[in-house]
Amino acid sequence: MDRVNNILQNDKYKEYIKMNEFYEKDRIFCHHDMQHFLDVARIGYILSLEKNIKVKKDIVYAAALLHDIGRWKEYEDGTPHEAAGVELAKGLLEESNYTEEERNMVLKAIGNHRKKDNVPGTLSEILYKSDKLSRGCFQCEAKKQCNWSDEKKNLNIQY
Ligand SMILES: [Fe+2]
Ligand SMILES: [Fe+2]
């Protein structure tokens, strides 16, 4: 997991996390913080095992740790955060020793993480699903105001 920890220790990565925190300090809905990234990483890895999708653990974790890294940019100037995330993740992946092929796979999944219809068996599908499954709607105080439909909300524990 050395490459995952390279991301974690990267100063720019830490700065982006702080920027997300800054913009979400009064947010009543789900936050885009380290807890969320880890929940997505762990559920994503479980899904890859359950579905027998051959993708390295440190690639699933990279996608999860980076997928919402552009959220602050969306708050700041309206750039969709999946697009902002792709731009910010490029350099971080390179500096963390992911190969070009691996970087492209992770960037594609980040860019697709809000799209429902991803190709089955891909990292994009894993990331989309684990992102949604990670949210603890069953204990959320803003459940009533949230725009997620009841079908989308996790009203029971699945993972
Ligand atoms: Fe997102
Ligand atoms: Fe997310």
Side-chain angles (χ1 to χ4, degrees), residues 32 36-37 40 67-68 81 113 131 134-135:
H32 301 81
H36 173 55
F37 301 161
V40 174
H67 80 285
D68 281 332
H81 73 270
H113 88 263
D131 191 21
S134 69
R135 297 309 197 176

Side-chain angles (χ1 to χ4, degrees), residues 62-131:
L65 287 186
L66 295 169
H67 80 285
D68 281 332
I69 206 63
R71 200 64 160 88
W72 61 272
K73 197 93 175 61
E74 186 163 331
Y75 293 121
E76 208 165 85
D77 65 14
T79 309
H81 73 270
E82 67 278 28
V86 167
E87 285 313 308
L88 299 176
K90 274 180 192 162
L92 295 172
L93 286 164
E94 226 175 294
E95 286 169 36
S96 305
N97 302 323
Y98 286 87
T99 67
E100 191 181 354
E101 196 186 336
E102 292 170 333
R103 294 199 300 268
N104 288 338
M105 196 202 294
V106 172
L107 294 174
K108 194 172 174 186
I110 294 173
N112 282 336
H113 88 263
R114 296 169 87 186
K115 283 192 200 135
K116 205 175 169 194
D117 300 311
N118 284 298
V119 179
T122 60
L123 181 64
S124 295
E125 187 201 24
I126 293 176
L127 185 60
Y128 175 83
K129 289 198 166 148
S130 56
D131 191 21

Side-chain angles (χ1 to χ4, degrees), residues 47-55 120-123 125-126:
L47 290 181
S48 77
L49 298 175
E50 283 182 354
K51 291 172 180 284
N52 214 1
I53 297 170
K54 296 265 171 283
V55 52
T122 60
L123 181 64
E125 187 201 24
I126 293 176

